[in-house]
């Protein structure tokens, strides 16, 4: 895709020799929109990012792993500003077009000397680096890089046009939907207005990143940024092209969100819970969220146990209106509970078979209305505990 | 304590030969109050208990472990009614003075034949059985019985009087405060009106059982019952005696609640989090609850890591108003964060030392007001996952 360049190197911020500093550089200033964490404890780069994104334009994104630059007070803000200056000076672009992101340990000061030597190194790589280099540089406890590329065609007055969109994300712990979850960047060659981009991104985020959970904790550094370079001749100007763009953006975000959950800390299984038949939209959300967050449900999934008691009990405590005697529960297409009644040993055995897969879909029908919502979550293994008991040591 | 008799036997409801059926029998009908789960998925014995407790009088409590009689539909209600009839007939007391409780696996039908043979066995033991027998019979994944006994003196017009109060509880998983958590029974020889007892119990429950968490899931069977036999000459009739009774009841409930958290599934440490300086009462509750429920905080505690970033981040996402730059955080009396600033390596080392203890107290001062709240929680170990991945197998 024309108009974007990438780099990702080891700058020495992490201790393990694995890439920890990355850059996305746009040839020309790109139209930009972003969504950030709603946690009131916000990292310094998030605070600065929220200000800089107001103008709707961005040319460079510097992201580091190994240090979240969060809860670092005035010094953290100063440090983030200094990294912005170094990027701007090194690449010859205006300071107010640089966004920075950080992810890693909370509370430690940013090791500025690593940025001073690292950013010039990024420059030497910027003509040969790939999105995969950048994707690797932003990982923390992630086991794999998370990249997606999709295209969509649209008909315009000038003929058929193709939009390309690439996405990259990191995240595997401290994952709970309350805005964009974790670091995620989407770049596209589409030509789109700031207001259209903002609206499309907020909507896509709500349907994808805000519907996933690994462990129920909301990060202090969550950022989802979309850069539209406008290098293609695909101009988003009418409702039809907006719909194509929105659809493509949602697919890209959903793909990244799914990759995050699949790579959840200690996760062995990916689960989609659909709650349907809820009396209200909010009820569908609440019930799905409670099930997706339940440690008892998540450990049962890990144990490959179709423990419908825990699933229905989680819905029961969610605050959503439920009637136990009207609930249906399906594992894939197997009905284990119908109208509140357990469907017997044969159904249980079939459901247990389904639980052995690495991807599982569950549907809880409350049979009280027409509203539906979905969550993606992962199971909960001993490894999650190990990873998080030892994280700082 | 006069007026109460106990029994606890193995009736064959569990598979492992460990006690599973217990009875508390009052010599005369006792004044009674109870608090139940707020989960909308409620076990059959809870549904019946909520009806029978309306009269404020109870003479016998039958409790079984190994089967929760929950999500068992109309059959579950029928079964619970039949156990009530068997108790009433066996012990010669009115049916409407019998309460039943069940705890264990959700969704399986109650094995009625075990109750038909078990309840007569309880009768043979009722003159020799102890509260410890009953306490043992209600355990599920608990590692230890939970019993407390306390007394309080009060001055009355008739002279100095002593109230005795005993409590017994079970619970170690599916523990999240949203009403009385788990099965807990308090018996006393005090003489008290139903309305005074109700009020005292609701208030005590809110301050104790509703301020603990093991895993954030609310049970479908939670029950807290208090029986006042009136066999002592301590009559609760004025504000002074009400205060003595309330204080004693709170202490007993807090002791039981603490025992439940200490025996939390897989738990190795007991933590008290105090949030002070909150702008509102609700803010103090929200911040304390979010910290107590955070899997990341709980795994850090397991790893003996004073991970203040996770604690402050949990407060930040709790919905409570917080200002990161004003937060103080103490581990016992060691200040690790003051006005949002990390207090350096020496303080970190002292805090890490404190984390090695089996009981830890943390205080987060938001410095935004005068409101305070507290939660008790336990850490999160690989064993929690093991226990809950294998529970039904």
């Amino acid at each position: 895709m024309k108009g974007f360049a990438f780099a990702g190197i080891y700058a020495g911020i992490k201790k393990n020799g694995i890439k920890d500093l990355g850059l996305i550089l746009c040839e020309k200033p790109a139209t930009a929109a972003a969504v950030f964490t709603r946690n009131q404890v916000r990292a310094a780069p998030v605070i600065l990012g929220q200000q800089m994104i107001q103008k709707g334009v961005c040319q460079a994104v510097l992201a580091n792993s190994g240090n979240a630059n969060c809860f670092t007070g005035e010094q953290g803000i100063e440090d983030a500003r200094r990294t912005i200056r170094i990027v701007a000076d090194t690449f010859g672009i205006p300071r107010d077009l640089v966004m920075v992101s950080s992810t890693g340990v909370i509370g430690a000061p940013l090791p500025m000397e690593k940025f001073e030597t690292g950013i010039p190194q990024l420059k030497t790589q910027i003509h040969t680096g790939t999105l995969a280099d950048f994707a690797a540089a932003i990982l923390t406890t992630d086991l794999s890089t998370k990249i997606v590329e999709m295209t969509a065609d649209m008909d315009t007055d000038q003929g058929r046009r193709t939009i390309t969109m690439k996405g990259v994300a990191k995240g595997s712990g401290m994952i709970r939907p309350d805005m964009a979850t974790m670091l995620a960047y989407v770049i596209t060659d589409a030509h789109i207005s700031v207001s259209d981009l903002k609206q499309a991104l907020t909507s896509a985020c709500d349907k994808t990143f805000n519907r996933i959970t690994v462990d129920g904790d909301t990060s202090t550094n969550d950022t989802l940024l979309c850069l539209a370079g406008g290098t293609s001749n695909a101009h988003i100007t009418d409702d039809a092209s907006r719909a194509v763009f929105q659809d493509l953006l949602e697919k890209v975000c959903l793909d990244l969100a799914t990759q995050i959950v699949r790579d959840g800390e200690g996760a062995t299984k990916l689960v989609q819970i659909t709650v349907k038949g809820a009396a209200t939209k909010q009820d569908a959300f609440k019930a799905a969220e409670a099930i997706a967050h339940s440690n008892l449900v998540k450990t049962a999934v890990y144990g490959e146990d179709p423990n419908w008691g825990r699933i229905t009990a989680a819905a029961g405590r969610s605050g959503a209106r439920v009637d136990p005697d009207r609930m249906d529960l399906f594992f894939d297409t197997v009905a284990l509970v119908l109208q509140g009644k357990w469907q017997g040993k044969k159904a249980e055995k079939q459901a247990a078979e389904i639980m052995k897969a690495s991807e599982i879909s569950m549907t809880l029908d409350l049979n009280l209305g027409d509203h539906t919502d979905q969550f993606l979550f992962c199971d909960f293994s001993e490894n999650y505990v190990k990873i998080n008991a030892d994280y700082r040591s």
Side-chain angles (χ1 to χ4, degrees), chain A:
Chain A
M1 192 165 58
K2 272 177 58 184
F4 295 93
F6 312 95
I9 59 154
Y10 176 59
I13 304 163
K14 286 180 184 167
K15 286 172 194 153
N16 53 12
I18 295 169
K19 286 185 181 181
D20 53 18
L21 192 64
L23 187 81
I24 301 177
L25 186 67
C26 311
E27 201 176 311
K28 286 184 289 185
T31 303
V35 192
F36 298 95
T37 182
R38 278 199 200 128
N39 197 317
Q40 288 179 76
V41 175
R42 274 186 294 266
V46 169
I47 293 168
L48 295 183
Q50 284 171 321
Q51 294 166 3
M52 80 77 69
I53 204 66
Q54 300 299 329
K55 288 182 304 292
V57 54
C58 174
Q59 194 167 2
V61 183
L62 179 81
N64 74 276
S65 54
N67 184 310
N69 193 10
C70 177
F71 226 98
T72 43
E74 199 44 52
Q75 185 62 47
I77 298 280
E78 274 309 303
D79 289 345
R81 284 212 178 98
R82 210 163 118 211
T83 58
I84 289 171
R85 283 199 300 270
I86 303 172
V87 171
D89 295 351
T90 305
F91 291 90
I93 55 178
R95 288 178 189 173
D96 60 354
L97 297 188
V98 179
M99 178 180 283
V100 290
S101 297
S102 297
T103 178
V105 174
I106 298 176
L110 216 56
M112 285 311 299
E113 67 286 3
K114 311 295 183 190
F115 287 82
E116 275 161 18
T117 54
I119 294 166
Q121 273 181 267
L122 289 172
K123 196 177 178 187
T124 66
Q125 203 205 59
I126 198 73
H127 296 296
T128 54
T130 64
L131 186 57
D133 291 321
F134 179 82
I138 61 176
L139 304 183
T140 55
T141 54
D142 306 59
L143 298 178
S144 60
T145 55
K146 294 163 185 70
I147 300 178
V148 57
E149 175 169 357
M150 291 184 186
T151 59
D153 292 334
M154 59 185 206
D155 292 314
T156 71
D157 298 344
Q158 290 77 37
R160 202 151 177 82
R161 298 284 187 258
T162 300
I163 319 171
T164 300
M165 201 176 275
K166 295 185 184 190
V168 56
K170 66 79 51 176
S172 106
M174 227 185 208
I175 301 282
R176 178 203 177 114
D178 193 17
M179 254 309 79
T181 301
M182 300 288 81
L183 301 185
Y185 307 94
V186 177
I187 55 175
T188 175
D189 56 7
H191 196 279
I192 187 170
S193 74
V194 178
S195 62
D196 280 354
L197 186 63
K198 243 188 216 171
Q199 202 179 317
L201 192 67
T202 305
S203 166
C205 175
D206 193 49
K207 290 184 188 165
T208 58
F209 290 102
N210 283 358
R211 291 292 186 281
I212 65 172
T213 182
V214 169
D215 52 12
D217 268 291
T218 304
S219 161
T220 49
N221 291 49
D222 292 350
T223 299
L224 166 63
L225 173 70
C226 185
L227 299 174
T231 50
S232 76
N233 51 11
H235 288 235
I236 312 299
T237 50
D238 57 7
D239 284 351
S241 61
R242 266 184 219 109
V244 171
F245 184 83
Q246 177 76 54
D247 185 58
L248 181 62
L249 186 59
E250 271 177 38
K251 280 183 184 148
V252 165
C253 288
L254 182 62
D255 191 281
L256 290 175
T258 305
Q259 290 189 52
I260 286 177
V261 180
R262 189 177 286 127
D263 192 22
E265 287 173 347
T268 72
K269 290 174 195 293
L270 175 72
V271 189
Q272 182 177 60
I273 173 72
T274 304
V275 171
K276 51 193 268 191
T280 69
K281 202 170 138 64
Q282 198 53 27
D283 278 358
F285 175 82
K286 279 182 189 165
E289 188 192 34
I291 293 165
H293 282 133
S294 164
N295 286 336
L296 285 170
V297 170
K298 290 154 84 84
T299 47
V301 171
Y302 174 60
E304 303 188 336
D305 173 9
N307 196 317
W308 53 278
R310 293 183 184 172
I311 296 166
T312 53
R317 71 163 163 84
S318 69
R321 187 157 79 81
V322 306
D323 177 348
D325 295 333
R326 297 179 72 173
M327 285 182 184
D328 300 336
L329 179 65
F330 300 85
F331 291 77
D332 285 353
T333 55
V334 173
L336 189 53
V337 175
L338 286 177
Q339 298 290 307
K341 282 197 184 61
W342 183 58
Q343 296 298 297
K345 285 188 181 165
K346 198 184 151 196
E348 177 105 11
K349 215 171 161 184
Q350 289 175 323
E353 235 3 86
I354 288 164
M355 297 296 287
K356 291 181 182 164
S358 64
E359 303 205 358
I360 299 158
S361 115
M362 303 174 178
T363 304
L364 178 66
D365 193 337
L366 301 178
N367 286 308
L368 296 173
D370 291 329
H371 294 274
T372 295
D373 211 333
Q374 288 191 328
F375 257 77
L376 281 175
F377 65 101
C378 56
D379 59 341
F380 213 161
S381 72
E382 291 98 337
N383 265 341
Y384 178 88
V385 177
K386 282 207 189 88
I387 292 163
N388 284 296
D390 299 339
Y391 186 52
R392 298 204 312 170
S393 58

